[in-house]
Amino acid sequence: AGETAPALTGDEIRDSLRRTLDTPTLSELAAQRERAVVLFDDLTRPAPVGRIAPFVIDELLAGGMKAEQIRFVAALGSHLPMTHDELVLKLGQEIVERFPVFNHNCYENLVEGGETTLGTKLLVNREVMNCDLRIGIGGSIPYWTPGNYGGGAKMVMPGICGIDSIQHHHFQAPA
């Protein structure tokens, strides 16, 4: 829901996932993949992940994936891990019970992922990198400074990166 716009209905969410712009649908992508991960933001962000994720799961299953091929990772960056109750608030009880759900840890379970054009060496969540279909559900939220946003691409950097990558990106990489 927006300031004057009503919340999308379930049918509208489903239809929006099936109406892509110059890209295969999730079900088409799922048909070609072995393991899917759904990244999601934490409770400091207002995205209604638990409302959207069931439709994403339906599309993955429609593409031929089985539930055991799907997992969820909280893209926390260096934020505190979410408790079980917080994961349930964000994702819903059914998802937490049915699928593996992990908190990203910026200190452990990381693999090298190359280097950015700004010279940041990427250490990235191993569970995410072991998947061949990666999906993010979250918002894009304006910050207090003009032109600055949270969410979006930040689901990856800093969301699923190691602390050294996060610190270099935030404090040492040239602007």
Side-chain angles (χ1 to χ4, degrees):
E3 183 178 343
T4 59
L8 295 177
T9 67
D11 287 340
E12 290 170 325
I13 293 171
R14 184 180 299 103
D15 290 345
S16 70
L17 289 172
R18 293 179 178 165
R19 263 183 298 129
T20 59
L21 300 173
D22 297 326
T23 186
T25 64
L26 280 177
S27 61
E28 291 168 335
L29 290 170
Q32 305 165 27
R33 301 309 195 323
E34 296 295 320
R35 289 174 43 132
V37 62
V38 179
L39 304 174
F40 61 96
D41 50 15
D42 63 20
L43 288 175
T44 66
R45 308 289 186 252
V49 177
R51 189 155 183 316
I52 298 165
F55 296 101
V56 170
I57 292 166
D58 288 347
E59 291 300 306
L60 296 175
L61 297 175
M65 287 194 135
K66 295 180 176 33
E68 56 268 15
Q69 293 174 281
I70 304 167
R71 68 241 330 100
F72 287 77
V73 173
L76 304 171
S78 59
H79 290 191
L80 291 173
M82 296 172 73
T83 66
H84 179 269
D85 289 345
E86 291 170 333
L87 292 168
V88 168
L89 278 173
K90 192 67 177 185
L91 295 172
Q93 186 73 38
E94 183 180 343
I95 289 175
V96 173
E97 289 177 359
R98 185 175 177 197
F99 298 94
V101 179
F102 305 98
N103 280 302
H104 169 67
N105 182 331
C106 64
Y107 297 100
E108 297 177 341
N109 197 33
L110 305 167
V111 295
E112 291 185 23
E115 189 173 305
T116 71
T117 56
L118 296 177
T120 302
K121 288 182 177 62
L122 294 175
L123 293 172
V124 186
N125 184 287
R126 181 183 312 273
E127 185 68 31
V128 174
M129 295 306 288
N130 283 338
C131 294
D132 57 353
L133 180 56
R134 301 171 191 108
I135 302 159
I137 302 175
S140 185
I141 301 115
Y143 278 164
W144 53 92
T145 55
N148 238 334
Y149 288 84
K154 290 183 177 182
M155 187 80 62
V156 175
M157 170 55 93
I160 58 165
C161 287
I163 192 67
D164 292 340
S165 301
I166 294 168
Q167 287 179 328
H168 186 271
H169 177 74
H170 279 93
F171 304 114
Q172 296 168 352

